[in-house]
Amino acid sequence: MVVGSRSPARRLVLKMSGEALASSSSEEAIDAAVVERLAGDIAAACEELPLELAIMVGGGNIWRGTTGEGQGIDRATSDTMGMLGTVINALALQDAVERRGQPTRVLSAIHMAEVAEPYIRRRAIRHLEKGRVVIFAAGMGNPYFTTDTSAALRAAEIEAQMLLKGTHSGVDGVYSADPKLDASAQRFDEVAFMDLVSRDLRVMDLTAITFCRDNQLPILVFDLMGPGMLRRALAGEEIGTLIR
Ligand code: UDP
């Protein structure tokens, strides 16, 4: 398989923001209907496609480290609160995916033996080989990082062919300018890491981008919330923007 091609990659890491699990129609941090829909897409894709899928869930719908810092909370403590938020999301996603008949394992970077397995690289790979969807919780377990960077790290560790960054803001790829502010903004089908950085095009945090560049890990940016888009991204269809 050509690394960076759009043909169905066998092993993928999907980064899903915490906010993708929330919605404007629910006051709760997690909208069960949204989780159900995403879980349905994930389970169906795993059944139909030759796929080994790992998912890194964010926690921004519950807590972000920088929010607490602004309120005087110690940054490392606030980041830990954010990582614990991702565990809540991971359990919600696990529950919904498993109800569709797709086996999953939550692997947490912060040990909590009663609710999730610890993250062990070789165990993650074994689960994938056995057809289980792996849900990474608690990011990489270190404060001062994001789940974007954690997703990139885990993708490299488990030798995934690609990192899928699903957006939830309605923007379906990388544009020459912010499409919500500039009507002439153009979407790129493909963009090089160097151009992304030099043009300051923000799709993920810079640490994640440079990590992927240094480790030759392509990123597909696509609209996670668009009908059928997750299935198409997982199938390797030419949607969104490929960064490589
Ligand atoms: N976080 C962290 N280390 C990690 C991953 C996450 O400290 O390895 C914390 C950080 O405070 C972050 C929060 O967890 O703000 C939630 O993650 P993120 O903001 O990446 O979630 P998303 O925006 O994707 O929902």
Side-chain angles (χ1 to χ4, degrees), residues 50 82 104 119 126-127 129 149 159 193 200 204 206 231 243:
T104 67
Y119 170 71
R126 190 78 187 113
H127 286 320
E129 288 170 348
T149 304
E159 296 175 6
F193 281 116
D200 197 23
M204 295 176 93
L206 205 53
R231 167 79 175 68
I243 309 169

Side-chain angles (χ1 to χ4, degrees), residues 83-150:
M83 286 188 272
L84 295 177
T86 72
V87 180
I88 294 174
N89 288 336
L91 294 179
L93 191 62
Q94 173 176 50
D95 174 76
V97 174
E98 291 217 326
R99 269 188 285 106
R100 307 275 172 151
Q102 169 61 49
T104 67
R105 293 291 186 273
V106 174
L107 268 50
S108 173
I110 294 177
H111 286 218
M112 44 180 85
E114 284 77 8
V115 290
E117 293 181 20
Y119 170 71
I120 298 171
R121 177 180 162 268
R122 292 170 66 110
R123 190 181 281 188
I125 291 170
R126 190 78 187 113
H127 286 320
L128 292 170
E129 288 170 348
K130 287 194 163 185
R132 297 163 185 148
V133 170
V134 168
I135 303 174
F136 294 125
M140 69 175 82
N142 299 318
Y144 293 93
F145 286 94
T146 63
T147 51
D148 279 0
T149 304
S150 307

Side-chain angles (χ1 to χ4, degrees), residues 15-19 58-61 63-66 78-80 82-83 86 138-148 150:
K15 165 63 211 291
M16 191 183 274
S17 288
E19 276 164 5
N61 55 324
W63 189 261
R64 274 183 217 284
T66 46
S78 190
D79 278 335
T80 304
M83 286 188 272
T86 72
M140 69 175 82
N142 299 318
Y144 293 93
F145 286 94
T146 63
T147 51
D148 279 0
S150 307

Side-chain angles (χ1 to χ4, degrees), residues 129-187:
E129 288 170 348
K130 287 194 163 185
R132 297 163 185 148
V133 170
V134 168
I135 303 174
F136 294 125
M140 69 175 82
N142 299 318
Y144 293 93
F145 286 94
T146 63
T147 51
D148 279 0
T149 304
S150 307
L153 171 65
R154 294 292 186 245
E157 283 185 87
I158 66 168
E159 296 175 6
Q161 279 93 35
M162 193 179 283
L163 173 60
L164 270 53
K165 161 80 177 175
T167 67
H168 58 276
S169 56
V171 179
D172 60 352
V174 181
Y175 282 75
S176 54
D178 185 344
K180 289 188 170 160
L181 302 175
D182 182 349
S184 67
Q186 304 263 327
R187 182 169 63 77

Side-chain angles (χ1 to χ4, degrees), residues 20 31-43 96 100 223-230:
D31 183 339
V34 175
V35 181
E36 288 296 324
R37 188 176 67 71
L38 289 168
D41 289 350
I42 290 164
R100 307 275 172 151
D223 176 12
L224 176 67
M225 308 316 276
M229 286 300 170
L230 176 55

